[in-house]
Amino acid sequence: MDPAHLDELIELEDTYWWHVSKRRLVIGLLARDFPAPCRLVEGGVGSARDLLEFQRAGYTVSGYDAMPESVANARERGLDVLRHDLERTWPDGEGSLDVAVLLDVLEHIADPVSVLANVRRALRPGAGAVITVPAYPFLHGDWDRALGHQRRYTVRMLRGQAMEAGLDVARITHWNAFSLPAALAVRGLQRLFPRDAPPAEFPRVPSVLNRMLIACANVERAWLRVLPLPVGLSLFAVLRRPG
């Protein structure tokens, strides 16, 4: 991650609709499938805002990140975060974790199966992980490249990587359907009228629109408690170590 993007995350993650909506989605998944108190590790902590929220929800938290600026920021917030390459064996002992969280991380990794295998090794039998990734390879464009995304995902691709790593797929579905039309329009215009690649910045929106998008995400989460979504700009998965 570019340090400038980390600064942007720190600035936006408390209020920006995308970050707020994803955090609420993941907190709900954790509460349902891996309720606190238990031991949680986040791989790729970014700004550490989500890890703080997991701690406030009652989890015993720690994390890893390869970026020294992310590690330093997390430690300044009082969090136990180590600098570590997620593709290397995690320092946690085998079968020592109750839940692992990787939020928009796997798309940055050259060998995501190795990361998921490390997750499986660190989880105790029956424990699991919550994963989010961007969806639709055909949408991969300048914004993804600026962020260092090596891929976008299909359901089949994410399921296949999880199974290859030895993890069972408890649940996998799209989410963030309400922003998909806008993303399709933007990507289409970028291909029709190519220009210099824009910086990797989240588009600023007026506060009223920001609140409306958060409200849309609230409705979507209520739907997802009952039924999966067939489309959406992102995917989430709940995985478990067999046994």
Side-chain angles (χ1 to χ4, degrees), residues 4-5 7 27 34 39 44 46-47 52 56 87 103 162 172 175 183 185 209-210 216 219:
H5 187 60
D7 292 340
I27 287 287
F34 313 104
R39 187 176 175 214
S47 73
L52 275 175
R56 291 167 185 163
E87 292 179 82
L103 305 181
I172 184 169
W175 69 282
L209 179 56
N210 193 65
C216 288
V219 172

Side-chain angles (χ1 to χ4, degrees), residues 15-17 202-214:
T15 58
Y16 192 73
W17 70 270
F202 286 95
R204 304 304 197 264
V205 296
S207 59
V208 171
L209 179 56
N210 193 65
R211 291 194 295 271
M212 290 176 61
L213 291 167
I214 290 173

Side-chain angles (χ1 to χ4, degrees), residues 29-109:
L29 294 170
L30 289 171
R32 190 192 73 168
D33 291 281
F34 313 104
C38 64
R39 187 176 175 214
L40 178 152
V41 169
E42 182 175 13
V45 302
S47 73
R49 178 63 179 80
D50 294 333
L51 198 59
L52 275 175
E53 197 70 23
F54 303 149
Q55 185 179 63
R56 291 167 185 163
Y59 295 89
T60 301
V61 303
S62 58
Y64 304 121
D65 204 289
M67 185 176 172
E69 293 88 349
S70 288
V71 174
N73 173 68
R75 289 178 176 173
E76 286 175 5
R77 294 183 174 211
L79 295 166
D80 177 18
V81 173
L82 297 176
R83 188 179 181 190
H84 185 71
D85 180 352
L86 298 180
E87 292 179 82
R88 296 173 54 205
T89 302
W90 291 17
D92 307 278
E94 181 168 357
S96 64
L97 300 183
D98 298 300
V99 58
V101 177
L102 292 97
L103 305 181
D104 294 297
V105 169
L106 290 181
E107 65 271 19
H108 295 269
I109 304 292

